[in-house]
Amino acid sequence: MTRAVRAARIAVAAVLPAELALVVCAAAGVRPPAPVLAAAEAVVCGVLLLEAWVLHRLYAAARAAGEERGAALRTAVRAVVPVQVRRLLRHELRAGASLGRWVLRRKHGVRPGDLAAAYTEPQTALMYGMLFVSVVETVALALLIPWPAVHRVVLVLDVYGIVLVIALHAACVTRPHVVGADGSLRIRYGALFDLAVPPDAVACVRVERRYPEGRLVTLSPDGVLDLIVGSQTTVTLELNRPLTFTRPLGARASARTIRFHADDPRALVSALRRPA
């Protein structure tokens, strides 16, 4: 069964780029020869059948081992679908749900007595700028592209991109950092990053504005984690022991110092220092 699972994962990794290339060709108005299309679709159908067979076998094995239906399905999916794909799908679902919370002005994971610390200020202008550019691009391409089929494909992609930008910003607004009434801290970035810091892990915390270089989540060799928003961080949190966290695509790592951004860093630091 292990070989079948490995074959299913390899098949997906090999077929998806080829299928994407065919879609790009179709969007560009290039029609591959009929034998190529037939062979490609046959391969895709074969991969889908292999995936379905492997999932069914894994699900049946988990059920036979005594797992509930939901747990057995999760076991089968985890074995076949790469963690990066699962994380991206989970992020998009949570970001989509954040649109509803944003409209209703509700915060995720904030209880009575907690302090919700926003962190979106440095990136709000950039997000709305991206949204404006996306809308202008959608309108321009609608006027310039003369081929209806290509126009429909581009329109779907552009609308999806616009919704994704709005959902990402909504996730950041509705999932703030949270300082709990018990002195705990939850450091977040939308639906992509979530790290819980227990009260007994905090050695010291201070306001410190820095402008580090790197991606959203950057970890130095000496265990310093930078969660960068708008090219800056404003709070430095030193821990008395390493804490393990999950990167956006599922990799695990640990850090002893965490630097992150809060729009009002003094309020966050004061709330974290106050006795529980």
Side-chain angles (χ1 to χ4, degrees), residues 102 107 117-129 168-177 188-190 209 211 227-234 260-266:
W102 194 26
K107 305 293 184 182
Y119 51 83
T120 57
E121 187 176 282
Q123 70 176 23
T124 299
L126 176 61
M127 286 290 184
Y128 284 118
L168 176 61
H169 183 63
C172 291
V173 172
T174 58
R175 292 172 177 263
H177 305 313
R188 301 195 282 189
Y189 182 83
R209 188 175 297 275
Y211 298 92
L227 183 62
I228 305 170
V229 178
S231 301
Q232 63 180 289
T233 63
T234 54
F260 60 98
H261 174 76
D263 292 346
D264 189 353
R266 299 187 188 281

Side-chain angles (χ1 to χ4, degrees), residues 13-112:
V15 168
L16 285 180
E19 188 73 4
L20 180 60
L22 290 177
V23 172
V24 171
C25 288
V30 178
R31 180 175 177 80
V36 174
L37 286 175
E41 294 307 319
V43 170
V44 171
C45 289
V47 169
L48 291 176
L49 289 174
L50 175 62
E51 293 283 322
W53 178 76
V54 171
L55 283 172
H56 175 71
R57 291 289 300 274
L58 290 172
Y59 175 79
R63 289 285 289 158
E67 294 188 20
E68 298 291 335
R69 290 183 178 180
L73 181 60
R74 288 191 293 271
T75 299
V77 171
R78 279 195 293 265
V80 176
V81 182
V83 63
Q84 294 87 348
V85 176
R86 298 200 308 270
R87 294 280 298 183
L88 289 174
L89 289 175
R90 188 181 300 120
H91 166 258
E92 293 195 10
L93 290 174
R94 290 176 176 174
S98 297
L99 288 171
R101 290 194 186 93
W102 194 26
V103 172
L104 297 174
R105 298 182 180 274
R106 294 179 179 175
K107 305 293 184 182
H108 176 273
V110 181
R111 300 165 299 184

Side-chain angles (χ1 to χ4, degrees), residues 126-128 130-131 134 160-170:
L126 176 61
M127 286 290 184
Y128 284 118
M130 290 176 58
L131 182 62
S134 297
Y160 174 77
I162 291 171
V163 173
L164 192 60
V165 170
I166 299 173
L168 176 61
H169 183 63

Side-chain angles (χ1 to χ4, degrees), residues 109 111 114-117 176-188 193-202 204-206 235-239 243 258-262 267-269 271-273:
R111 300 165 299 184
D114 293 347
L115 171 71
H177 305 313
V178 180
V179 179
D182 60 351
S184 62
L185 172 64
R186 192 173 181 182
I187 304 171
R188 301 195 282 189
F193 185 87
D194 195 334
L195 172 61
V197 181
D200 61 350
V202 178
C204 70
V205 59
R206 62 184 179 273
V235 178
T236 297
L237 175 68
E238 295 183 7
L239 307 171
L243 285 183
I258 305 171
R259 299 193 293 235
F260 60 98
H261 174 76
L268 185 146
V269 170
L272 199 58
R273 286 176 175 171

